[in-house]
Amino acid sequence: MIDIALGLAAALLLTWLAFVVALVIVRPRGSLLRESLRILPDTMRLIRRLAADRSLPRGIRVRLWLLLAYLASPIDLIPDFLPVIGYADDAIIITAVLRSIVRRAGIEPVRQHWPGTEDGFSALTRLTGLDRTEPRKP
């Protein structure tokens, strides 16, 4: 029984380390990090607005509510008190969810619900690659 528990603990630790290494590799660099922090409040409002939009498919809204729950949770893949990389996991997860939304519903709902400036929206599309993402054809 102890061997199984140690094996599971080792597997969890290795999985966590793999996530940390992946986040270090894809973290925003230079001015991208400053830019992502600058639009963070508007991005959080965007996620909340999209999650409440009943015109979007249920699967998208469920993903957004799960994202909000993860962001509100005190448990993170990487603790936020670590400089730079602590917030990178949140930014990467937000990016992945927004890309999946655009693939399924298109960029228009994101543009429609964006609460910030046009400059902020341009920064969001640049940071997340949304401007290069095409919606999936039904």
Side-chain angles (χ1 to χ4, degrees):
M1 192 65 135
I2 292 176
D3 290 340
I4 293 173
L6 287 175
L8 285 174
L12 286 173
L13 179 63
L14 287 174
T15 303
W16 180 79
L17 286 173
F19 281 129
V20 170
V21 168
L23 289 174
V24 167
I25 291 170
V26 298
R27 76 182 185 278
R29 287 174 173 65
S31 65
L32 286 179
L33 182 61
R34 277 192 301 269
E35 205 166 6
S36 65
L37 291 175
R38 180 178 63 85
I39 64 169
L40 183 63
D42 288 334
T43 304
M44 295 304 295
R45 283 192 295 276
L46 169 71
I47 292 168
R48 171 63 181 93
R49 288 178 179 184
L50 287 169
D53 184 354
R54 294 217 174 256
S55 69
L56 292 174
R58 180 178 294 191
I60 289 176
R61 292 193 328 263
V62 167
R63 268 182 258 165
L64 289 163
W65 284 112
L66 289 172
L67 174 62
L68 286 170
Y70 172 78
L71 294 173
S73 168
I75 300 171
D76 262 346
L77 288 175
I78 299 176
D80 290 339
F81 64 82
L82 295 174
V84 180
I85 194 69
Y87 290 103
D89 65 330
D90 296 342
I92 292 167
I93 292 170
I94 289 170
T95 297
V97 170
L98 287 176
R99 283 181 183 170
S100 74
I101 290 167
V102 170
R103 271 189 253 114
R104 180 99 190 271
I107 191 77
E108 197 51 42
V110 176
R111 178 177 294 285
Q112 177 185 0
H113 290 291
W114 178 251
T117 64
E118 191 60 36
D119 184 42
F121 185 78
S122 296
L124 176 76
T125 58
R126 213 173 30 256
L127 288 166
T128 59
L130 294 179
D131 54 347
R132 296 183 304 268
T133 307
E134 292 295 321
R136 186 182 308 185
K137 304 292 183 221

